Structure formats: structure tokens, C-alpha cells
Amino acid sequence: MCLKTGYRLLVCLQIIWKISSEVQALYWPYLVADCHLGAVIAKRLNWPLDVVLTKKIGHPFNKEYAIGAVSLKSSVLSAAASEVDKLYIEEETKRLRALLEKRNREYHQQIKAEDIKNKKVILVDDGIATGNTMLATIDLIHKEGASEIIVATPVAASAAISRHEKSPYVTRAGLPVATRLLSGSRTIL
């Protein structure tokens, strides 16, 4: 399933968005063991691949409900975060950053992090719900000096795609070819 989805996304990136070897770095925003769309695309196009470490800030009563996201250098909060105790958000941000720093040291112990200054970057995610984690990732990549940021995913909530498209740092966002689902999400054909 992952391999097939990766190739579909790759074909769409190449044909619809005219993405080719001009992209100089490809980032997979998460360390996910079961599905590596970024690896499928990077290998096929012979692009460098790196991992951007970000984590969602879950609501104190439901950790799966994202009220924001944090990276090593940035954070994003949704409107829902205004109803949550600021102390909880501060403590959760510190806890998540410590975890991300540990993972960053482990991951880049033998593999040097890609220098993305003045490079075009594609951020690939297997699915986007609220979009908060990707917004934190976009902010981080922008702060590191990428010249162009493209967000690509095979499935995402329409509201999340709209948020990414409105970001001043994003060149293109969403699904290169998409169909609407009844739930208000979009998926790749």
C-alpha cells in the first residue's frame, strides 16, 4: 500500500506539478516505521532525504486531538489552545523538545543533516489532519533558509490544505491531483 501510494504521489509530483531534479532536498517530517513515502520518492528520483522532527501537542484530555505542534526551533498553536492552561502547553512543549533533541542526536549521529539553505525542499507526509504539525515543520524549514517549500501528501483535510496554501513560506501545498471525500478530506487519485 505504502509503495503504491508513494509511486502515485511521485507521478503526480512529476507530471502535474512538474517537479523533477530541480528539487534539492526531500524531507519526511516524522520518524514513522510503517510507511516511508519520502523514501520511495527520494530513492526513485535520487534526491537527498532527511527527517524533520516535529511532534503534535495533544489536548490534555485527548492526546490525539492536536492543539498545536512543536519542532526543535518553532511551535504552532491552534485556536483550541486558547482554552488550555498555558502552564500545560509550556510543560508539554519542553517535554516534547527534549524528546525531539534526543531523537535528533540519535538520528544524526551517523548521518549528517542536510544543509537546506537556498534549496528547494519538498515536505512529504502520509496524511495531514489539523495541519499544525506540518505548519511547525514549514516554519522550521523556512528558518533554516530553504528557498522554496512544497508540501505534498496523498490525503489531507481540506482545512489543513487551505492553511498550508495561505502560509507565506509555501510555494505549493496539498495533493497534486485530488478528489474530495464526503468527510471533507481529500485523497490522491
Side-chain angles (χ1 to χ4, degrees):
M1 174 77 173
C2 178
L3 192 61
K4 189 175 183 181
T5 303
Y7 284 123
R8 283 183 182 161
L9 187 57
L10 169 64
V11 167
C12 291
L13 286 168
Q14 289 178 304
I15 295 171
I16 307 301
W17 281 357
K18 309 287 189 232
I19 300 295
S20 62
S21 59
E22 94 254 4
V23 175
Q24 297 153 332
L26 184 83
Y27 273 75
W28 176 251
Y30 315 103
L31 287 171
V32 179
D34 61 340
C35 187
H36 294 285
L37 295 178
V40 170
I41 295 167
K43 183 176 180 182
R44 183 72 174 219
L45 295 178
N46 198 27
W47 295 343
L49 174 68
D50 205 344
V51 176
V52 180
L53 298 169
T54 53
K55 290 286 286 177
K56 119 177 100 181
I57 301 172
H59 191 281
F61 302 125
N62 180 357
K63 297 291 184 182
E64 289 303 309
Y65 177 63
I67 60 168
V70 63
S71 72
L72 291 171
K73 298 179 183 175
S74 66
S75 62
V76 174
L77 296 174
S78 70
S82 65
E83 300 171 11
V84 175
D85 182 39
K86 287 181 177 29
L87 182 60
Y88 167 81
I89 294 172
E90 289 173 15
E91 289 174 356
E92 193 67 0
T93 298
K94 285 179 189 175
R95 184 186 72 78
L96 293 172
R97 280 221 171 103
L99 175 66
L100 293 173
E101 287 171 5
K102 179 180 181 235
R103 288 184 179 172
N104 187 50
R105 283 190 306 275
E106 290 169 356
Y107 184 77
H108 289 110
Q109 188 174 16
Q110 295 178 352
I111 302 169
K112 186 177 184 261
E114 288 291 323
D115 178 15
I116 59 169
K117 190 170 179 79
N118 299 319
K119 292 184 179 177
K120 297 175 185 176
V121 174
I122 293 182
L123 296 171
V124 179
D125 192 351
D126 62 340
I128 300 173
T130 64
N132 288 332
T133 306
M134 185 58 79
L135 284 173
T137 304
I138 290 165
D139 189 55
L140 174 66
I141 295 298
H142 169 73
K143 286 178 179 175
E144 292 193 9
S147 64
E148 184 175 340
I149 300 172
I150 299 164
V151 178
T153 182
V155 64
S158 295
I161 293 173
S162 295
R163 291 177 71 200
H164 298 153
E165 289 171 337
K166 291 175 186 172
S167 169
Y169 311 132
V170 175
T171 307
R172 285 173 273 187
L175 295 80
V177 176
T179 181
R180 284 195 183 272
L181 299 178
L182 294 177
S183 66
S185 64
R186 300 182 204 174
T187 188
I188 201 162
L189 293 175

